[in-house]
Amino acid sequence: MVGNNTPIFFIRDPIKFPDFIHTQKRNPQTHLPDPTMVWDFWSLVPESLHQVTILMSDRGIPDGFRHMHGYSSHSLKLVKEDGSYVYVKWHFRTEQGIKNILPEDAERLAGSDPNYATRDLFGAIERGDFPAWKVYVQVIEPEQALKYRFNPFDVTKVVSQKDFPLQEVGRMVLNRNPENYVAEVEQAAFCPSHMVPGIAPSPDRMLQGRLFSYADTHRHRLGANYHQIPINRPISGVANQQRDGAMAINGNGGSAPNYEPNSFGGPSQTNVVAHTHARNFFARGEIARHSYEVTDDDFAQVNALYNLFTEEQKDRLARVIAGGLSQTPVFIQKRQLKHFYRADKDYGRRVESALKAAGSKI
């Protein structure tokens, strides 16, 4: 699965993924981080406001790796042997407790100890204080997914735990540090298309894009045979019809044929429905390449999140936003400000006030 420390993401259309990443790069002329690129994009993609609000709030900077929750963000399918399935969202809730860092403390740490998070995690494991997370799922029946107010396949939205309570299914413990960081961490190649039998993708469009794009990245970064690197190699071995290419290190299939079906005992498709594919699912409407339309639903959850914050947290949120947004052209500030007002009038007023305090001519 794609794991994040937030249950949502900035965009829901995979075709925009490369564009979003480009906004996080450096300016091609100055080679400096560019608030104009960032806020220009966000202001033109209003569904990003939910994730932007989390990012800029007190929740935005976790105090190391041990003190954050984890989420699959995307909905996935759990598939039974008969092919029936439910949709699930995975949650990993830290047993160490949530802790976050305020921006001014994060700025200080970036200068005094930029390796703070890695040092904290490695040290805890080394001294036997193994960090752990309780694992939960939210279970959504296919019929419920069709009727739910929010699209459960829209990764800019959460599925309410009041509507679909968390169900505990396990526990994850980190109990060993790598012996060699490059071999076991830098070369690790996680991909949401690497699925075990019983798990299948949902119609989430961002997930569908990630199914192939992550593997493409691994082939570029580590080579065509990245799955043969020990940290990525399944314990039972790789059973497919692929061979050759740079750095083929597992015997390259020997003299066996590499096509399927064959008459010589090679890997074969099982056609077991839970292994190969899920049972057909029902869809309503016209199947085509549709664009997303921004509606009030794209701001409803932002409103709910904003109103969970204390007055102090709301003021701090507005100041953090203004710190970057005030460095952009005024027309971008005005366009983004409309989104804050649409989510919550108080949200808009505080950000506008903070922009002016930061010297904006808005």
Side-chain angles (χ1 to χ4, degrees):
M1 68 185 70
V2 177
N4 277 325
N5 69 310
T6 63
I8 54 173
F9 197 58
F10 296 94
I11 54 175
R12 57 193 172 196
D13 185 347
I15 206 69
K16 289 192 176 105
F17 203 174
D19 299 303
F20 166 67
I21 297 302
H22 294 165
T23 72
Q24 309 301 300
K25 302 294 185 180
R26 293 175 179 266
N27 181 285
Q29 181 182 27
T30 66
H31 198 59
L32 295 170
D34 192 338
T36 295
M37 293 197 306
V38 172
W39 286 102
D40 186 34
F41 181 84
W42 283 344
S43 67
L44 291 168
V45 184
E47 63 267 27
S48 65
L49 186 57
H50 197 184
Q51 178 79 319
V52 168
T53 301
I54 293 178
L55 178 65
M56 301 292 172
S57 75
D58 287 1
R59 304 181 182 190
I61 308 176
D63 187 352
F65 299 111
R66 296 185 299 132
H67 297 287
M68 64 171 77
H69 292 330
Y71 306 88
S72 65
S73 297
H74 300 294
S75 298
L76 295 163
K77 290 178 182 174
L78 287 184
V79 187
K80 295 181 181 179
E81 289 187 3
D82 65 1
S84 62
Y85 63 88
V86 292
Y87 295 113
V88 296
K89 283 184 176 285
W90 295 82
H91 297 248
F92 300 79
R93 299 182 70 86
T94 176
E95 294 182 9
Q96 292 69 239
I98 287 287
K99 290 184 182 179
N100 294 295
I101 301 175
L102 295 178
E104 54 269 27
D105 295 325
E107 186 174 0
R108 174 181 54 79
L109 278 171
S112 63
D113 187 5
N115 301 302
Y116 170 81
T118 302
R119 189 188 317 282
D120 174 75
L121 178 62
F122 188 94
I125 295 173
E126 197 73 359
R127 64 177 178 265
D129 183 13
F130 302 136
W133 288 258
K134 291 262 180 68
V135 183
Y136 300 84
V137 292
Q138 288 177 286
V139 179
I140 310 167
E141 296 289 343
E143 298 78 14
Q144 293 174 308
L146 288 172
K147 298 174 183 177
Y148 193 52
R149 176 188 171 185
F150 297 107
N151 181 356
F153 313 124
D154 177 351
V155 75
T156 67
K157 308 284 191 305
V158 296
V159 170
S160 171
Q161 294 177 26
K162 293 180 181 178
D163 299 330
F164 298 95
L166 297 180
Q167 301 182 38
E168 187 174 345
V169 295
R171 188 169 183 256
M172 180 179 74
V173 181
L174 300 183
N175 60 9
R176 183 178 72 83
N177 279 315
E179 290 297 322
N180 184 280
Y181 190 85
V182 169
E184 298 180 60
V185 180
E186 287 291 340
Q187 292 190 132
F190 295 97
C191 181
S193 60
H194 296 165
M195 293 186 177
V196 298
I199 297 180
S202 75
D204 183 321
R205 284 164 62 169
M206 273 296 294
L207 174 60
Q208 291 292 325
R210 283 169 154 161
L211 291 177
F212 66 85
S213 67
Y214 279 47
D216 280 353
T217 298
H218 300 325
R219 282 186 283 269
H220 169 75
R221 183 171 67 93
L222 298 169
N225 289 304
Y226 70 88
H227 55 280
Q228 295 183 24
I229 297 172
I231 194 62
N232 300 320
R233 188 174 60 228
I235 294 173
S236 60
V238 177
N240 59 33
Q241 282 75 43
Q242 308 305 314
R243 66 164 30 132
D244 301 339
M247 302 302 292
I249 58 173
N250 66 349
N252 205 31
S255 61
N258 65 321
Y259 54 85
E260 192 275 336
N262 71 67
S263 305
F264 304 98
S268 61
Q269 182 172 307
T270 65
N271 290 322
V272 175
V273 69
H275 291 206
T276 307
H277 52 77
R279 192 167 62 188
N280 293 343
F281 66 93
F282 294 97
R284 292 179 183 172
E286 182 181 355
I287 305 298
R289 185 170 178 173
H290 297 288
S291 61
Y292 276 112
E293 301 298 327
V294 175
T295 69
D296 288 342
D297 275 353
D298 291 305
F299 300 89
Q301 293 192 359
V302 183
N303 176 282
L305 172 64
Y306 177 75
N307 284 290
L308 290 175
F309 299 151
T310 66
E311 295 298 302
E312 182 183 3
Q313 289 170 333
K314 290 176 181 178
D315 283 340
R316 196 155 43 234
L317 168 64
R319 287 197 302 271
V320 172
I321 289 170
L325 186 56
S326 63
Q327 301 176 49
T328 70
V330 170
F331 77 90
I332 292 177
Q333 297 178 40
K334 289 181 177 179
R335 187 167 61 207
Q336 181 65 37
L337 198 57
K338 291 179 181 178
H339 304 325
F340 294 125
Y341 272 110
R342 188 171 178 181
D344 188 283
K345 288 184 172 57
D346 180 69
Y347 196 175
R349 283 192 293 268
R350 289 186 198 241
V351 173
E352 184 172 9
S353 177
L355 283 169
K356 292 176 179 177
S360 170
K361 303 300 182 183
I362 195 169

